[in-house]
Amino acid sequence: MALRETLNNLAATASSRANNAIEAGRLHIKISNEERKITEFILNIGELVLDKLDAGESFDDEVMALYSSVQAAREVIAEAQATIESYRPAPEGAVCTACGAPLSEEAKYCGQCGVKVEEPQRDPSCAACGALLEEDVKFCTSCGTKVEEKDEA
């Protein structure tokens, strides 16, 4: 009888410990979820403050010092993006006015962003001398250079 009682006590203890471990696991998940919420709230607070700083509001010295760091980082990013853009070769021919993707001569819509392709406008100035050209002229009235005609589709 003592053996049976001992085994029952051991089983009850093991069951209780297993239930406690399961409950502790649930509580850890709950804690993690709440910590993620706090992190998201903090980020939202930061975005609100940053929006106010960008709008010209002023805060205490610590916040203003951090804002100066944000501004400096933004400048570094802008310079790096400009440098990256300078590495890209200029596209030849027509390009999309919305996204800059190269366009074929027959394109009616951009293949990258789907924007309708506008008819190219003829340059209103002379390619040779830069003088402004009147509409529908075939020769520059300033230097006599023949005006290149764009193919009409």
Side-chain angles (χ1 to χ4, degrees):
M1 194 70 161
L3 181 58
R4 179 182 266 170
E5 225 175 89
T6 303
L7 289 176
N8 283 340
N9 286 341
L10 286 174
T13 301
S15 177
S16 176
R17 286 184 181 165
N19 286 337
N20 288 345
I22 290 170
E23 185 60 24
R26 285 187 188 132
L27 291 172
H28 281 294
I29 290 171
K30 186 175 186 175
I31 290 168
S32 292
N33 288 338
E34 294 303 313
E35 287 173 338
R36 269 189 235 109
K37 286 180 187 178
I38 289 170
T39 300
E40 189 173 322
F41 294 144
I42 290 169
L43 288 172
N44 289 337
I45 290 169
E47 287 177 5
L48 288 172
V49 170
L50 187 59
D51 288 344
K52 289 182 180 213
L53 288 163
D54 285 341
E57 287 191 37
S58 189
F59 290 85
D60 65 31
D61 290 342
E62 279 183 291
V63 173
M64 296 309 290
L66 288 171
Y67 184 61
S68 293
S69 298
V70 168
Q71 292 296 78
R74 285 175 171 172
E75 289 174 14
V76 169
I77 290 168
E79 289 173 11
Q81 287 174 330
T83 302
I84 289 170
E85 283 298 315
S86 74
Y87 294 155
R88 291 189 181 148
E92 293 181 22
V95 294
C96 176
T97 57
C99 71
L103 299 171
S104 68
E105 289 183 25
E106 308 83 36
K108 301 225 185 287
Y109 292 89
C110 176
Q112 294 299 313
C113 70
V115 168
K116 185 173 181 174
V117 174
E118 299 293 326
E119 286 295 317
Q121 299 295 315
R122 191 177 83 182
D123 189 359
S125 61
C126 175
C129 71
L132 290 178
L133 298 172
E134 294 177 28
E135 198 170 323
D136 297 326
V137 296
K138 295 183 181 177
F139 294 89
C140 175
T141 57
S142 181
C143 71
T145 301
K146 184 171 182 172
V147 176
E148 289 187 33
E149 293 182 27
K150 302 288 183 189
D151 292 334
E152 301 284 331

